[in-house]
Amino acid sequence: MPQALPTVIDIARLAGVSPATVDRALHHRPGVRQATLQRVLKAAAELKYLPQAELYAAMAPPPMRLLFVLPSRSSRFLWMLGEWVKHSHEHWAPFNVNCRVAPVESFDPDALTRLLLRRGKQSDGVAFMALEHPKVREAVAELNDRGIPCVTLVSDLSHSKRSAYVGLDNRAAGRTAAHLIGRFLSPAHGASNSPQRRAKVALIAGSLNYRAHEEREAGFLHLFAEQYPEMRVVGLREGYDDAQLNYRQTQALLKEHPDLAAIYNIGSGAEGIGQAMKEAGRQHEIVFIGHGLTPETRALLIDGSMDAVINQSPLTTILNSIRIFTNLRDHRSVLSGVEATRTDVIFRENLP
């Protein structure tokens, strides 16, 4: 007589569990502990209850649930970052992760804190652009204590329990911007008494609640103090990454300082600055440096309104975040296989 096929009852007897538990385990239903699941699958394998391919699929751990929290009305670069997360699943498939994006109100630490705690507790890892605030720091600490790692993106969070930071060295980015402006404005032979050497330079930030923007400003001012002490920084304004607000800020700067020689846009909303300079007929006179290669900054580079863009790759930023989470999951070194974030300086002549 042919040997009888194994049944759920046979698997339950071999695994030392109930038939109902076997049914839940084989059909990926909740309520089965990982150790019990492994016993059931081992018994099913020994009894040849399922084809090998199906057993391998059943034994695979569920995808890691990763949440990317990004400002909803902030920079175009961050919007592009979110689009990469939503529409590039083929890049994440080898890591066995499930990535989602949660928008949050820009520059609002209370909203960010609430979302981190509400949605973060339903996730296996959270990546977010941090606001420098005690409530945000406490939310990260609570998630960490629950075993949910946090990774900060683009802007870091000081003295926190985050697992890693992914982004530029923002002090170095600010120094790079200062170096570019200094070189653009310096005469060929560097005569210290020339008008260019005493030029006025303005800074427009998104918000200094972002540590990234604060560090870019500090790096910029330090390099100017070291190498271009004759140049005058005429003040820092906050535009909250809003193109219309940046437009009005630039209009005010041009009215107050008709001899303004350069603008460093620390955050986003470059198109507002470009529009104000064009309306004043100054777009080819004022040196303009900013961050993030987007359709808007690309257009400004092409028409000559903008001189250089300091950029980081959105795809590399996301991949590095996912590698960090999977390293933590697999008990590897946190930064194993993680690329250093490269600072790219884009001009019109080297546009990718």
Side-chain angles (χ1 to χ4, degrees):
M1 294 180 62
Q3 187 175 359
L5 295 174
T7 66
V8 166
I9 294 174
D10 296 324
I11 298 172
R13 187 180 300 115
L14 185 57
V17 298
S18 70
T21 298
V22 172
D23 184 71
R24 286 198 301 273
L26 294 180
H27 292 91
H28 303 286
R29 297 194 183 100
V32 182
R33 290 181 299 174
Q34 188 64 29
T36 304
L37 174 64
Q38 294 302 316
R39 286 209 315 274
V40 170
L41 294 174
K42 182 180 178 183
E46 289 181 14
L47 294 171
K48 297 182 172 53
Y49 180 81
L50 292 174
Q52 196 171 51
E54 290 186 34
L55 273 173
Y56 284 148
M59 293 175 72
M64 194 178 192
R65 300 167 300 169
L66 301 181
L67 181 69
F68 286 78
V69 178
L70 298 172
S72 57
R73 291 186 297 170
S74 189
S75 78
R76 182 63 177 264
F77 175 83
L78 294 173
W79 178 85
M80 291 167 59
L81 203 65
E83 291 300 296
W84 272 105
V85 175
K86 293 176 186 175
H87 303 300
S88 298
H89 299 293
E90 70 277 7
H91 292 287
W92 330 138
F95 297 96
N96 192 29
V97 296
N98 187 349
C99 298
R100 293 288 183 269
V101 177
V104 66
E105 185 66 29
S106 305
F107 313 110
D108 186 338
D110 290 319
L112 177 58
T113 299
R114 288 194 299 269
L115 195 146
L116 286 174
L117 292 176
R118 187 179 75 253
R119 296 285 301 274
K121 291 174 183 177
Q122 304 166 9
S123 307
D124 300 312
V126 180
F128 72 105
M129 185 171 177
L131 285 167
E132 193 68 44
H133 196 278
K135 290 182 179 179
V136 178
R137 199 172 290 112
E138 286 300 305
V140 169
E142 183 173 339
L143 290 174
N144 179 77
D145 292 345
R146 288 173 172 264
I148 302 166
C150 294
V151 170
T152 51
L153 301 174
V154 182
S155 189
D156 202 2
L157 182 62
S158 62
H159 310 297
S160 69
K161 290 187 175 181
R162 56 86 169 148
S163 297
Y165 162 67
V166 177
L168 297 176
D169 177 337
N170 285 297
R171 281 185 177 270
R175 290 179 66 88
T176 299
H179 174 74
L180 289 168
I181 287 176
R183 297 296 293 174
F184 273 123
L185 292 179
S186 293
H189 301 290
S192 61
N193 62 349
S194 70
Q196 292 95 328
R197 298 287 287 184
R198 298 191 297 273
K200 292 181 179 179
V201 179
L203 282 66
I204 299 177
S207 170
L208 296 183
N209 286 329
Y210 282 139
R211 184 176 169 186
H213 293 192
E214 184 182 14
E215 290 178 343
R216 290 172 190 176
E217 178 205 3
F220 186 98
L221 295 177
H222 286 168
L223 187 130
F224 253 41
E226 292 167 10
Q227 298 186 18
Y228 304 102
E230 304 91 347
M231 290 190 184
R232 180 183 169 197
V233 177
V234 294
L236 174 69
R237 295 167 181 252
E238 290 181 301
Y240 297 98
D241 289 340
D242 180 83
Q244 283 303 309
L245 184 52
N246 279 357
Y247 169 75
R248 294 193 294 272
Q249 296 281 33
T250 307
Q251 281 187 318
L253 281 168
L254 295 176
K255 183 176 181 180
E256 184 179 354
H257 304 286
D259 55 345
L260 188 67
I263 296 175
Y264 172 36
N265 186 38
I266 294 174
S268 188
E271 60 271 30
I273 299 170
Q275 180 185 353
M277 292 195 305
K278 289 174 186 176
E279 289 180 3
R282 303 288 308 282
Q283 71 272 26
H284 297 136
E285 299 173 12
I286 296 175
V287 175
F288 181 19
I289 308 294
H291 281 267
L293 185 61
T294 66
E296 291 78 14
T297 55
R298 175 183 289 271
L300 291 170
L301 285 171
I302 289 172
D303 71 18
S305 303
M306 203 165 190
D307 294 280
V309 169
I310 299 167
N311 190 56
Q312 58 185 303
S313 163
L315 178 58
T316 301
T317 299
I318 300 164
L319 280 172
N320 280 344
S321 304
I322 291 172
R323 285 192 178 99
I324 288 167
F325 286 123
T326 56
N327 286 340
L328 291 168
R329 178 191 64 194
D330 300 335
H331 307 291
R332 293 191 295 264
S333 170
V334 173
L335 298 180
S336 177
V338 175
E339 299 179 29
T341 302
R342 190 177 68 184
T343 302
D344 295 321
V345 180
I346 309 297
F347 304 95
R348 178 168 63 178
E349 287 72 20
N350 70 343
L351 272 168

